[in-house]
Amino acid sequence: ENVMVTEVERLRALHALELLDTAPEAEYDSIAELAALIAGAPMAAVSLIDEDRQWFKSNIGIPAPETPREWAFCDHAIKGEEIYVVPDATQDPLFKDNPLVTGEPDIRAYAGVPLHAPSGAKIGTLCVIHREPTIIEERVKDRLKALGKTIEQMLLIRARSRDMADS
């Protein structure tokens, strides 16, 4: 189901979840930790792409709670349907001059699974980040996608709970 969603609709779907700037939740942290473990990565996040920032609902090993959207690898990941992979950011024209590559946290490799809100809008990613150039194996990609589906189920449950509370 390839739904074309405008940026306004995407932001509306993101904000409707009321997840931005909420406290850490063990469920999201567990999934991010599992993603890092599966990928052998020192960093992982559940990242939400707001209008002008990337905010981390869960953040393993990334030394900031958010980054400017224009720096966000995840902003590129939400433009596609498939897992978005950058094997070596220093060799990638889109990212080689990115402050997250040229400085802390020294991103070299990235893989991000787009996360869909219940409406179908892509609101963020489950991502893993390496400090060394890395080829992400197919089996790792498949497992990251499965974890992404788990997060989407959590978002659906969250949305349904809100709807029930509202009615």
Side-chain angles (χ1 to χ4, degrees):
E1 75 191 74
N2 194 355
V3 187
M4 281 303 292
V5 179
T6 68
E7 178 66 1
V8 170
E9 292 167 323
R10 192 191 73 71
L11 287 168
R12 191 176 300 131
L14 170 63
H15 291 258
L17 288 167
E18 296 179 14
L19 206 52
L20 286 168
D21 301 309
T22 57
E25 292 176 55
E27 298 87 343
Y28 293 95
D29 290 344
S30 295
I31 292 175
E33 284 180 32
L34 197 50
L37 211 62
I38 286 168
M43 294 174 272
V46 175
S47 165
L48 301 175
I49 302 294
D50 200 1
E51 191 168 4
D52 55 7
R53 66 180 173 145
Q54 159 178 252
W55 180 78
F56 303 121
K57 174 60 182 168
S58 180
N59 173 349
I60 310 300
I62 301 170
E66 64 181 50
T67 71
R69 182 172 177 177
E70 63 265 21
W71 296 2
F73 284 59
C74 298
D75 191 38
H76 296 273
I78 65 169
K79 291 181 169 76
E81 284 304 320
E82 285 307 304
I83 189 166
Y84 185 82
V85 177
V86 178
D88 185 351
T90 64
Q91 302 303 307
D92 190 304
L94 274 178
F95 300 110
K96 63 180 172 47
D97 298 323
N98 186 306
L100 303 174
V101 174
T102 59
E104 271 295 310
D106 300 309
I107 295 175
R108 290 299 171 266
Y110 167 95
V113 177
L115 298 175
H116 299 80
S119 67
K122 287 173 281 197
I123 56 163
T125 69
L126 169 64
C127 66
V128 294
I129 298 165
H130 293 268
R131 285 199 168 97
E132 301 295 327
T134 304
I135 301 299
I136 311 287
E137 298 170 28
E138 285 307 314
R139 65 183 180 78
V140 171
K141 290 181 194 173
D142 290 343
R143 290 172 182 156
L144 292 174
K145 286 186 228 174
L147 290 175
K149 292 282 177 231
T150 303
I151 294 171
E152 290 176 350
Q153 286 303 307
M154 290 162 54
L155 297 174
L156 182 61
I157 291 165
R158 182 184 189 93
R160 286 187 177 151
S161 306
R162 300 246 168 218
D163 292 347
M164 285 170 66
D166 291 344
S167 61

